Amino acid sequence: MKSRKRAEVAELVDALDSGSSGGLLRAGSSPAFGNMETAPLSRAYVAAILIASAFAACGAVAVEPSTVTTDVGDLLYQGQKYLTAREWTQAIKAFDAVLAVDGANAEALRGLGEAHEGAGNWRDAVGAYDRLQQIKGKDPDISYKIGLMADKGGDGVRAAAAYEDVVKLRPNDLRSWRALADLYRAASD
């Protein structure tokens, strides 16, 4: 059963990739995706359903097609809601979904960093904050978060570099000076 669904998903992905409208119509009528009306569906919506259904076909996650959205505002709202509820895994999924649609969304990158931080995924948090800083430019608050997450993840060299960036940008930032002093003290022991 799963191999048939995987074959259907592969066929639908190929059809979507080729841009054929027949692929869009078949995506809506395929048993792998349930019964959906497809005439008004956008390519992005169908792509989101394909991705979610591929995960479901592989047994990775159960997804109802009616719950899939590609609206960035809705996804950001969901991500923030999950952050507030401290549901880190769900928040990560929501922010990843935003980034799949808009890879340079600063709000999603900040939320993703916070969700990984809450989940204790220090390296993933550093990665999200690094991407955020690439978009926003040097920012002492982002650099501080990178330093904090790198330090928690055991990467003292990366943490020190981030804290040094903070004090270059904001020389009176006592928390960064303290963190640097602690790192240097630990390195000399």
Side-chain angles (χ1 to χ4, degrees):
M1 179 67 171
K2 280 189 180 181
S3 62
R4 188 179 72 190
K5 280 191 175 187
R6 286 184 183 137
E8 287 177 1
V9 168
E11 178 185 341
L12 295 170
V13 169
D14 290 341
L16 183 66
D17 192 40
S18 71
S20 70
S21 61
L24 293 176
L25 294 176
R26 282 185 307 190
S29 60
S30 168
F33 302 102
N35 296 323
M36 304 182 316
E37 294 293 325
T38 55
L41 294 181
S42 69
R43 285 175 57 90
Y45 184 80
V46 172
I49 292 170
L50 286 171
I51 293 166
S53 297
F55 281 115
C58 298
V61 64
V63 175
E64 290 293 323
S66 62
T67 64
V68 176
T69 182
T70 58
D71 180 73
V72 170
D74 288 346
L75 292 168
L76 285 170
Y77 174 78
Q78 288 175 7
Q80 290 299 327
K81 181 179 76 170
Y82 289 129
L83 271 181
T84 302
R86 304 173 61 90
E87 295 180 27
W88 311 124
T89 303
Q90 294 297 82
I92 290 167
K93 288 178 185 177
F95 291 124
D96 278 340
V98 171
L99 295 169
V101 174
D102 177 9
N105 188 297
E107 189 176 344
L109 286 167
R110 185 176 303 278
L112 184 62
E114 291 173 10
H116 280 302
E117 180 179 351
N121 304 330
W122 314 123
R123 288 185 182 170
D124 292 332
V126 168
Y129 291 132
D130 274 337
R131 286 176 56 197
L132 177 62
Q133 193 155 58
Q134 288 172 357
I135 292 167
K136 299 205 51 114
K138 288 289 183 183
D139 178 301
D141 293 323
I142 298 170
S143 291
Y144 182 78
K145 282 290 209 177
I146 291 170
L148 188 62
M149 296 301 99
D151 192 15
K152 287 183 177 185
D155 187 351
V157 173
R158 178 72 174 100
Y163 291 137
E164 287 170 359
D165 285 344
V166 174
V167 297
K168 285 177 191 171
L169 296 167
R170 195 168 36 207
N172 295 330
D173 191 307
L174 293 179
R175 64 185 179 167
S176 295
W177 282 112
R178 283 188 194 115
L180 270 172
D182 290 343
L183 284 170
Y184 292 152
R185 191 176 5 259
S188 67
D189 288 344

